[in-house]
Amino acid sequence: MVAVQIKPISRTRFNALGGYARHPGTLLMLDELGYFEAEGGNVIGIATQDLEDQDFGGIVMARDRKRCFRGVHVTGFFPSPETAREELLAGMSKAAQALAEDHFQGDEKGEPVDFFSHLHDAQKLHPSFVQLTTNEGYSPAREIIEPMMRWYEDADGNFIEQFQTTGFDQRIWELYLYAMLIEAGYTLDREQNVPDFCSAGLFGELYIEAVTVGPTMKNGKTIPPPPIDTPEEVGRFLKEYMPIKFGSALFSKLKKKYWEQPHISGKPFVLAIADFSSPMSMVHSQSALERYLWGYEYPAVHDSEGKLIISPVRVETHQWGDKPPIPSGFFRLPHSEHVSAVISTNAGTIAKFNRLGILGKFGSKQVLAIREGRMVDHNPNATLPKIFRVIVNSSGYEEAWIEGLNVYHNPNAAIPMPMEMLTGAAHHFFEESRLVRSYTPEFHPMSSVTQHFSPVDVEEVLAEIGDKTHMVWTLKPGGPDATDEPA
């Protein structure tokens, strides 16, 4: 029998390959001590410790007929981690040398799907999809998306078509939410097709509907957004134009009354919104979303002692052009009490997948990624963000799917959403004082731009800089105009 090479892998890589098969309940019984992958990539394993008995074991996983990783062998339990690891590696080696069909489970439906072969005429393909499938610089994203999509069930039956053509941004947003929920310890119930994500975790059931803000269309043509070249134009864009865009998308979902579905009744229901209204619009639009949700704006000044003074001002309406005004304050609208929270991030784009792909050792090993952007400054008197810069390939770099996610809790929610349901996100609460109380992680990016370079000898570059993350913190005003779109 030929020896099989087995190497340790990161949790990021394991989660991308087989984390979708994990049941949240196992985290109450087993501690995951390490992850392994057999040569050839068709077998992975987890070293475990029983939390009650404190003994050690392992789980071997292999690809089923649809090429999803599933459990195929559980080792015995042993008093020492060394013995358990030997048994795990032996089980993985045996599984790696078995025939592929020996690991088929018998309950697979349908055939393996090729998500990236171009199924439509070139002129119909979305430019970002073409880049994803043809550009070496996006190979990490492509390879981390593939195992994910093998688990992601197409409830509407048109996911692949839209992913390749007119709905690329929307489908990427849904895949981001899927990855984030799996990372957060949720399982998804696909027997229900509304809302988009019917999930259950250690803290209960959570229902999420994905929402995207698209470009303004007229007679089949895209109407460009208003200019934002001057401070006055930026002000109108944030105070009037974008709140109306957010309001239209959210109000259309509110009218569907998802909470009346029997399986949702009495459970937290969340709208997850992303801004794809125009290229780079997500750079600026977060404050517009906050303004619309709360129906307040927050002028800030420093007093003579340098202390930050914020005086909330209620916003009643938003109006753009000759159209009728819309009421501000989504959480003040009738029936909005059924929405527990609105969540949003500007990181639900292909750049996020590329960074996590690099972390998981997917794709070409000749892709260098440099990320820089703006992060929250926790100084209570700060009015400007900090600036950060990092080499994603560096050994000290870490990133989670949930990093950068904002949760805006509805102060009038009939069913509040506990913070513990999305640990690692920033949580924002509107208080009776008309101020927003926020709980943000120490590192919470507000926006970022990721530059990709390929082909590059990444090891040579890291050797020159000493393989450090080169994280730079500053309080310099301004900084890069940033988004999570690749530069």
Side-chain angles (χ1 to χ4, degrees):
M1 188 173 285
V2 180
V4 176
Q5 194 121 24
I6 298 175
K7 61 182 179 180
I9 59 175
S10 67
R11 180 179 174 87
T12 298
R13 183 173 179 84
F14 173 82
N15 278 342
L17 293 171
Y20 311 107
R22 182 196 289 116
H23 191 281
T26 61
L27 300 176
L28 296 175
M29 300 180 290
L30 298 174
D31 189 12
E32 297 178 356
L33 303 179
Y35 310 95
F36 303 89
E37 181 177 2
E39 183 181 14
N42 289 323
V43 174
I44 56 177
I46 321 172
T48 64
Q49 181 178 20
D50 188 285
L51 293 176
E52 182 176 353
D53 297 333
Q54 295 296 298
D55 47 9
F56 301 89
I59 301 170
V60 179
M61 303 174 71
R63 296 184 188 273
D64 67 8
R65 189 166 59 82
K66 294 188 70 176
R67 298 196 55 77
C68 297
F69 278 102
R70 309 267 295 275
V72 296
H73 174 64
V74 178
T75 71
F77 285 90
F78 305 91
S80 77
E82 293 80 14
T83 304
R85 175 169 169 165
E86 289 178 6
E87 289 293 319
L88 171 63
L89 298 186
M92 291 180 62
S93 180
K94 182 179 180 181
Q97 295 178 75
L99 297 175
E101 50 265 33
D102 290 345
H103 302 309
F104 294 174
Q105 306 268 332
D107 59 354
E108 301 93 336
K109 297 179 181 179
E111 298 297 326
V113 178
D114 184 348
F115 303 99
F116 298 110
S117 290
H118 295 190
L119 302 179
H120 303 274
D121 295 337
Q123 63 270 23
K124 293 183 178 181
L125 296 175
H126 194 286
S128 295
F129 173 76
V130 174
Q131 286 286 325
L132 176 64
T133 54
T134 61
N135 190 323
E136 181 183 18
Y138 294 103
S139 59
R142 184 167 63 248
E143 289 194 12
I144 200 173
I145 286 173
E146 183 175 12
M148 178 189 308
M149 290 181 73
R150 295 196 183 283
W151 279 99
Y152 186 86
E153 296 183 20
D154 185 1
D156 299 327
N158 57 8
F159 186 97
I160 296 176
E161 176 188 358
Q162 293 186 1
F163 178 67
Q164 295 193 6
T165 57
T166 58
F168 181 84
D169 291 331
Q170 293 89 333
R171 301 291 83 83
I172 283 291
W173 177 233
E174 291 175 9
L175 285 176
Y176 164 78
L177 292 171
Y178 177 66
M180 182 273 294
L181 287 169
I182 295 299
E183 177 189 72
Y186 287 92
T187 55
L188 300 179
D189 177 8
R190 284 303 181 188
E191 293 186 6
Q192 304 289 345
N193 59 8
V194 290
D196 292 317
F197 299 94
C198 303
S199 58
L202 296 180
F203 293 96
E205 297 175 27
L206 179 63
Y207 294 87
I208 299 178
E209 175 69 9
V211 191
T212 55
V213 180
T216 300
M217 305 294 293
K218 186 175 183 180
N219 298 325
K221 295 184 178 180
T222 301
I223 305 300
I228 51 174
D229 299 323
T230 68
E232 292 75 21
E233 289 173 341
V234 171
R236 289 193 294 271
F237 178 83
L238 295 177
K239 294 182 178 182
E240 310 296 345
Y241 181 80
M242 280 309 303
I244 291 175
K245 296 287 289 182
F246 282 119
S248 176
L250 290 170
F251 186 68
S252 68
K253 295 293 184 179
L254 191 65
K255 291 191 294 184
K256 294 182 182 294
K257 298 183 178 180
Y258 292 95
W259 54 86
E260 293 184 352
Q261 297 285 335
H263 61 285
I264 301 177
S265 178
K267 309 295 194 309
F269 171 68
V270 170
L271 294 175
I273 191 165
D275 175 21
F276 296 105
S277 59
S278 63
M280 304 293 287
S281 62
M282 63 183 69
V283 174
H284 314 282
S285 61
Q286 179 178 328
S287 64
L289 174 62
E290 295 172 356
R291 180 178 282 106
Y292 172 68
L293 291 177
W294 309 123
Y296 275 85
E297 54 187 29
Y298 297 90
V301 297
H302 288 97
D303 63 16
S304 58
E305 297 179 353
K307 183 179 179 181
L308 185 65
I309 305 297
I310 299 176
S311 302
V313 177
R314 179 168 167 138
V315 179
E316 298 295 344
T317 60
H318 304 283
Q319 184 170 19
W320 187 259
D322 56 1
K323 292 185 178 181
I326 70 164
S328 188
F330 177 77
F331 291 139
R332 298 197 295 251
L333 294 179
H335 304 300
S336 66
E337 67 274 12
H338 299 291
V339 178
S340 303
V342 171
I343 66 177
S344 183
T345 177
N346 54 32
T349 67
I350 201 65
K352 180 83 167 182
F353 289 86
N354 227 31
R355 295 196 302 272
L356 270 293
I358 290 172
L359 281 178
K361 308 298 183 186
F362 290 97
S364 168
K365 303 306 182 284
Q366 298 186 86
V367 179
L368 180 73
I370 298 177
R371 183 188 186 195
E372 60 180 338
R374 301 174 296 170
M375 61 169 287
V376 169
D377 185 348
H378 291 276
N379 183 334
N381 293 316
T383 58
L384 294 172
K386 288 183 177 180
I387 308 302
F388 71 90
R389 184 177 300 110
V390 64
I391 297 177
V392 175
N393 309 69
S394 302
S395 60
Y397 182 78
E398 296 179 356
E399 183 174 354
W401 288 106
I402 204 167
E403 179 190 281
L405 185 71
N406 292 289
V407 182
Y408 303 99
H409 292 260
N410 185 352
N412 306 311
I415 310 293
M417 189 199 89
M419 288 176 56
E420 293 78 10
M421 281 190 151
L422 290 175
T423 301
H427 292 265
H428 311 286
F429 295 86
F430 185 83
E431 298 186 322
E432 292 182 2
S433 61
R434 300 176 183 175
L435 291 175
V436 175
R437 175 169 48 94
S438 296
Y439 299 90
T440 58
E442 181 63 27
F443 176 65
H444 183 68
M446 300 166 63
S447 59
S448 68
V449 60
T450 305
Q451 300 182 63
H452 305 94
F453 305 91
S454 66
V456 171
D457 189 331
V458 175
E459 291 186 2
E460 181 179 325
V461 172
L462 295 180
E464 287 183 7
I465 65 172
D467 192 17
K468 297 178 181 177
T469 57
H470 274 47
M471 188 75 79
V472 178
W473 313 104
T474 80
L475 293 177
K476 182 179 68 175
D481 282 339
T483 177
D484 244 295
E485 292 288 342

